[in-house]
Amino acid sequence: MIMNRNTDALIVRYPRGCTATVWFDSVAGTIMTSHAGLRATLRRGVRTWEGCLVWPYDGHAFLVAAYDYLFLNGYAVQWMKVEAVLEGDNSYRV
């Protein structure tokens, strides 16, 4: 998988030391993650501050809601702007 240079990503640190990444590929308009368990959680949708349920196809709005959801549930989450091209094949499309 290769994504564009201006990608927003969430870095999620789990209590047991595992780290997952959730990113929005603006070129493809998709949300992807590097963690299968997190993928299953995000596929159910997350709520915004206004209480609206958003889905992965909502793109950037979904990424914002996912950040809030993860942070409010006690996960250490960091928002990053990825400036380099990423390559890899251990990712899951949400």
Side-chain angles (χ1 to χ4, degrees):
M1 167 204 57
I2 298 175
M3 62 179 73
N4 72 330
R5 295 177 69 69
N6 296 312
T7 300
D8 289 314
L10 305 179
I11 308 302
V12 184
R13 288 179 195 84
Y14 284 90
R16 295 183 191 163
C18 177
T19 301
T21 305
V22 180
W23 59 89
F24 171 58
D25 183 355
S26 59
V27 172
T30 58
I31 299 286
M32 300 177 79
T33 182
S34 63
H35 190 275
L38 182 55
R39 174 184 175 243
T41 299
L42 296 177
R43 289 184 80 181
R44 294 186 290 245
V46 292
R47 296 208 178 266
T48 64
W49 279 106
E50 294 81 23
C52 300
L53 190 60
V54 290
W55 304 96
Y57 59 77
D58 292 319
H60 197 265
F62 179 83
L63 194 63
V64 171
Y67 175 91
D68 294 340
Y69 170 82
L70 292 164
F71 179 78
L72 292 173
N73 281 290
Y75 293 98
V77 185
Q78 182 178 3
W79 188 290
M80 296 184 69
K81 186 75 164 174
V82 180
E83 297 294 334
V85 175
L86 300 176
E87 294 185 41
D89 46 38
N90 290 334
S91 62
Y92 304 90
R93 190 173 183 174
V94 178

